[in-house]
Amino acid sequence: MKRRNFLKFSAAAGLTPKKCLLPFASDLFSFSNESNLSNVEARYYKKLPDREIECHLCPRFCKLGDKERGYCGVRENRGGIYYTLVYGKACAVHVDPIEKKPLFHFLPKTTALSIATAGCNVNCKFCQNWEISQVRPEQITHIDLPPESVVTTAEKNNCPSIAYTYSEPVVFFEYMYDTSLEARRRGIKNVVITGAHVNPEPFKDLLEVVDGVKIDLKAFNQDFYTKYVRGKLQPVLDAIVIASKSHVWLEIVYLVIPTLNDTVSEIHKMCRWIKNEIGPDIPLHFSRFYPYYLMKNLPPTPISTLEKLRNTALEDGLNYVYIGNIPAHEAENTYCPHCGEIIVNRTGYLIGKINIKNGRCVFCGHEIPGFWT
Amino acid sequence: MSKVIVIRTKNIYNSNEEVNSEKINNLYKRGFHLLTGFKDSKNSIKALLTTEKKTGIKINTIGGRSLSTRPKVSLSLADYLIEGGFQEKDILIWDRTNRELRDADYSLNMNLRGIKIFGTDSNTIGYDNSLTVHRSIGSRFSSIQSGIISQSISLAILKDHGLAGITAGMKNYFGSIHNPNKYHDSNCNPFVADLFDTTAIREKHKLTVIDALTVQFHKGPAYHSLWAENYGGLIISTDPVAADYIGWQVIEELRKKHGLPSLKEENREPLYIKTAEELGLGSADPANINIIKEEI
């Protein structure tokens, strides 16, 4: 199914997000008043002599002189003090099904208030949200939405969770962290949708205040990360291991791009690593690529490729392997690894009956890992 | 053979640290004379530019009042263009944002009459909606660079740069795209060269003028008075690569004079200059550069 048809299909099936509170900035490409950017001091940086600083938030360790910004474009050195420019400056606010993140084992059939600011600390050539992730905050429209207001908005829209998503939440760490604290205080969960190009210290701190993390593992080799992501693989793998050892729920998404990261051998290698380091029960989503941004020269991923890779992962012993971006594919469902029955039935973002009770398959009683209520 | 003019004067600043108008005017006059062989402004400008075309003077104002292209330097150049046959309405002095321009003491002007001075973030200007994709570059261009102007002058400040090695004429065009922060890896190489190689720049760029009145030779690009030298010079060339190469050598000379290691020793040699030469954008080989140095 082509992307256009997929979107038509989704709309016809009522699968589009329930509510858009602020359109994507790409529709509104215009300038925000620069003076309207935030000037909250950033966390995780080191002051150096001569008004220079070194950012310790992500593995880039940007070393910046006065008036310079980091690679992310949203953190700026002003006179030797490092500031986040996007604290409370949301450029996208939507109410989305949690399955859109995708998180399949986390409060299924609920919605997440989903927010983003401008900026990203990598530059994936296939980014689907580059209009907000690859711009500076003053280049797009945003609204003032401080942490308390984010939580209030979630409450008003009956969202049991808040998702930090769309761009790269690592770069709006302070905003995400403070919002998560407030949300937790008011009984709302927090989920982070991230590429996890982040240093261990801030990531561990973040995991203390959130409930779920979806990590995009974009390939299983450094060459791909160098050429197409402009980042490093090892910190992402480290973050996956850290998250798996924490209390938070973790799922992994792997975007399959034809000819670039779609070999069976690479998937074998990755699945063995996942099984050994984390275990067989972590959900793994193989997601379909659509040509976009700087990668328009490749076709959408063939469905047969996704199915082949899913079979590879299942053969390697992973229990919950999904296919994404292909609505109504049978691999959207959750199957009990013990009895084989469908325990969560999905068609796009329409969720059917959930055959899980007290965290166990209703058919055979097998324990199904996840965050179900 | 590329020609690069390094024209200098003593006491370029008045006692109040303002640029001396007469001296900067004389630097331009003599500099263009040496570059083109024509003493009069009309012929020298005619040798370099088409006076009927809307012309952008891309300045660098990120350094605030202390280390930006000073208004007197850019306005003096504009005056020389007008003397050479341009209409003032066809000249646009510009940079990324109006805030940075104001901070560097520019008075904005978007009126139809007069020399225009404004930033890309002005109302109705902005960045292109479509991406320009070329080699390692994927960026939205300022509509000033891609649409409004037909020919371009890079009037850059010469600075040491902690990541790029140096910033001069070519890197100045980082201010013409929406995402320069994405191009500072690996000493900005090959990004500076690849950006310059895009149609919007390569086909419009006609002249490099590097403001070396004050040169930040260490700890740049921010201003640090301890490592800023009153050099009193302009570097002028139609070869953007040769101009930057000579700018780099000026920085190295000043670093040596002050007992600092070379940029190579600090692992931040501006290799993008060599890459630009390999792309055919100009010469980075001293054997192919005719350097004319003069002090007036």
Side-chain angles (χ1 to χ4, degrees):
Chain A
M1 191 180 289
K2 289 185 175 177
R3 182 176 172 78
R4 187 182 301 157
N5 293 337
F6 161 66
L7 292 172
K8 278 184 187 169
F9 169 84
S10 301
L15 306 180
T16 49
K18 278 187 176 176
K19 200 181 287 182
C20 169
L21 303 178
L22 178 67
F24 266 112
S26 54
D27 301 329
L28 301 167
F29 191 68
S30 62
F31 289 96
S32 298
N33 187 342
E34 254 196 300
S35 62
N36 193 29
L37 302 181
S38 71
N39 58 354
V40 172
E41 186 171 1
R43 297 164 202 169
Y44 308 104
Y45 79 96
K46 184 180 172 186
K47 291 183 180 178
L48 301 174
D50 307 313
R51 308 194 309 275
E52 292 184 342
I53 66 96
E54 186 174 76
C55 183
H56 289 187
L57 181 61
C58 94
R60 293 191 176 280
F61 291 99
C62 290
K63 191 178 169 189
L64 304 168
D66 189 15
K67 299 181 194 297
E68 288 192 296
R69 286 194 198 177
Y71 188 90
C72 58
V74 301
R75 302 164 83 81
E76 184 172 283
N77 177 3
R78 294 177 182 165
I81 298 175
Y82 204 35
Y83 291 95
T84 166
L85 308 178
V86 291
Y87 189 97
K89 308 292 180 183
C91 69
V93 184
H94 298 251
V95 175
D96 285 344
I98 193 76
E99 287 77 11
K100 190 182 176 187
K101 302 301 118 192
L103 281 169
F104 277 13
H105 291 224
F106 189 94
L107 301 179
K109 225 172 175 173
T110 66
T111 54
L113 181 76
S114 304
I115 65 167
T117 74
C120 184
N121 57 347
V122 292
N123 188 7
C124 300
K125 290 191 172 187
F126 42 87
C127 183
Q128 300 289 305
N129 286 329
W130 70 270
E131 294 96 333
I132 60 171
S133 69
Q134 300 302 326
V135 299
R136 294 175 165 223
E138 65 270 34
Q139 292 170 349
I140 55 171
T141 303
H142 57 246
I143 58 170
D144 286 318
L145 201 67
E148 301 76 18
S149 301
V150 175
V151 181
T152 301
T153 307
E155 288 171 340
K156 282 182 179 171
N157 286 278
N158 299 314
C159 297
S161 65
I162 296 168
Y164 308 93
T165 179
Y166 302 134
S167 53
E168 174 47 69
V170 165
V171 306
F172 59 89
F173 184 95
E174 296 80 3
Y175 182 31
M176 170 170 57
Y177 186 93
D178 291 357
T179 304
S180 297
L181 273 183
E182 178 66 12
R184 176 164 282 188
R185 195 179 65 79
R186 288 156 68 172
I188 289 177
K189 307 292 183 201
N190 297 285
V191 297
V192 184
I193 312 305
T194 178
H197 200 247
V198 61
N199 283 333
E201 186 194 350
F203 192 54
K204 284 175 184 171
D205 290 347
L206 180 67
L207 294 177
E208 293 295 319
V209 297
V210 302
D211 305 281
V213 180
K214 186 220 82 176
I215 293 180
D216 286 306
L217 180 55
K218 296 164 197 282
F220 205 65
N221 69 85
Q222 180 55 47
D223 189 49
F224 182 98
Y225 267 80
T226 302
K227 282 183 185 166
Y228 305 111
V229 178
R230 290 200 182 145
K232 294 174 183 167
L233 170 63
Q234 192 56 49
V236 179
L237 298 179
D238 293 344
I240 289 172
V241 172
I242 290 167
S244 72
K245 290 177 178 169
S246 74
H247 73 283
V248 304
W249 180 247
L250 171 67
E251 301 191 20
I252 295 175
V253 168
Y254 187 98
L255 181 72
V256 180
I257 304 177
T259 72
L260 300 184
N261 65 355
D262 62 347
T263 63
V264 169
S265 61
E266 182 168 7
I267 298 304
H268 261 311
K269 202 172 162 191
M270 176 183 75
C271 291
R272 285 178 197 139
W273 179 84
I274 290 173
K275 196 177 172 190
N276 290 338
E277 294 290 331
I278 304 165
D281 284 339
I282 183 171
L284 173 64
H285 304 250
F286 288 113
S287 193
R288 189 183 203 188
F289 160 85
Y290 287 93
Y292 204 57
Y293 188 36
L294 303 177
M295 201 171 274
K296 292 181 177 171
N297 58 326
L298 294 173
T301 321
I303 294 173
S304 58
T305 302
L306 294 159
E307 290 171 338
K308 181 176 67 182
L309 299 184
R310 177 173 183 260
N311 287 336
T312 300
L314 291 170
E315 286 164 12
D316 281 337
L318 299 189
N319 288 328
Y320 303 95
V321 187
Y322 300 98
I323 289 179
N325 280 350
I326 302 173
H329 193 282
E330 62 180 14
E332 285 189 315
N333 300 321
T334 301
Y335 298 87
C336 174
H338 185 251
C339 68
E341 292 291 333
I342 295 177
I343 46 178
V344 182
N345 194 313
R346 301 182 184 85
T347 306
Y349 305 136
L350 284 180
I351 313 303
K353 195 173 180 192
I354 299 173
N355 294 310
I356 297 170
K357 197 171 180 184
N358 297 326
R360 292 183 178 277
C361 169
V362 298
F363 302 108
C364 69
H366 184 76
E367 189 175 354
I368 309 296
F371 209 105
W372 301 112
T373 54
Chain B
M1 179 76 86
S2 299
K3 190 192 274 188
V4 178
I5 310 303
V6 181
I7 184 91
R8 297 175 69 184
T9 187
K10 286 195 170 68
N11 304 319
I12 186 69
Y13 297 109
N14 295 330
S15 54
N16 58 2
E17 297 193 3
E18 288 267 313
V19 172
N20 182 302
S21 299
E22 190 183 345
K23 289 195 174 188
I24 188 69
N25 290 342
N26 287 338
L27 283 180
Y28 279 121
K29 276 182 190 169
R30 183 59 182 157
F32 284 121
H33 179 193
L34 290 170
L35 183 67
T36 65
F38 294 107
K39 197 169 183 179
D40 66 296
S41 56
K42 282 214 164 20
N43 277 312
S44 71
I45 289 303
K46 199 175 168 185
L48 299 168
L49 300 155
T50 305
T51 53
E52 293 75 28
K53 286 185 173 178
K54 290 198 177 347
T55 299
I57 300 176
K58 169 67 181 70
I59 58 176
N60 181 343
T61 53
I62 196 172
R65 186 178 294 184
S66 306
L67 200 60
S68 292
T69 320
R70 294 162 190 79
K72 276 197 179 170
V73 176
S74 53
L75 288 168
S76 176
L77 174 60
D79 286 344
Y80 191 77
L81 298 183
I82 292 162
E83 195 183 308
F86 272 87
Q87 293 188 59
E88 58 180 20
K89 71 176 178 60
D90 288 334
I91 298 171
L92 165 57
I93 295 169
W94 69 285
D95 201 359
R96 297 188 309 185
T97 72
N98 287 334
R99 178 185 62 79
E100 287 173 340
L101 285 163
R102 283 194 207 95
D103 287 351
D105 277 347
Y106 283 84
S107 299
L108 305 185
N109 178 33
M110 286 192 82
N111 295 327
L112 291 174
R113 293 167 57 186
I115 297 166
K116 290 165 190 56
I117 303 173
F118 56 81
T120 297
D121 65 340
S122 302
N123 284 338
T124 74
I125 306 299
Y127 292 93
D128 294 344
N129 283 326
S130 59
L131 281 165
T132 293
V133 180
H134 178 70
R135 298 176 63 86
S136 64
I137 299 297
S139 299
R140 279 171 162 151
F141 264 102
S142 163
S143 60
I144 294 172
Q145 184 67 34
S146 63
I148 293 174
I149 62 165
S150 301
Q151 58 189 357
S152 177
I153 299 169
S154 178
L155 175 49
I157 280 272
L158 181 60
K159 295 188 278 191
D160 169 87
H161 193 288
L163 299 172
I166 70 154
T167 174
M170 287 193 289
K171 188 174 176 296
N172 188 28
Y173 284 111
F174 268 21
S176 71
I177 53 173
H178 84 288
N179 57 349
N181 46 300
K182 298 300 180 188
Y183 303 129
H184 284 82
D185 285 350
S186 58
N187 302 126
C188 300
N189 185 34
F191 308 112
V192 174
D194 285 352
L195 177 64
F196 197 94
D197 195 46
T198 56
T199 304
I201 296 175
R202 190 188 63 240
E203 293 191 356
K204 293 185 179 181
H205 178 87
K206 301 297 174 194
L207 182 66
T208 298
V209 179
I210 300 174
D211 173 349
L213 301 187
T214 298
V215 177
Q216 187 72 49
F217 56 87
H218 185 52
K219 287 284 180 185
Y223 178 68
H224 295 276
S225 57
L226 187 61
W227 299 292
E229 176 102 347
N230 182 347
Y231 190 77
L234 295 176
I235 299 169
I236 310 173
S237 181
T238 55
D239 181 332
V241 183
D244 278 15
Y245 178 83
I246 297 305
W248 172 22
Q249 302 316 305
V250 168
I251 295 233
E252 295 286 16
E253 282 168 26
L254 293 174
R255 293 179 65 84
K256 194 172 180 182
K257 178 179 154 187
H258 290 267
L260 293 164
S262 69
L263 296 177
K264 188 174 185 177
E265 287 170 313
E266 290 197 348
N267 292 320
R268 51 192 187 95
E269 200 177 10
L271 295 174
Y272 66 79
I273 296 174
K274 188 71 182 165
T275 302
E277 182 185 50
E278 288 163 6
L279 289 176
L281 299 173
S283 177
D285 180 355
N288 292 325
I289 301 173
N290 176 19
I291 309 165
I292 300 174
K293 294 183 178 179
E294 189 173 299
E295 187 161 330
I296 57 173

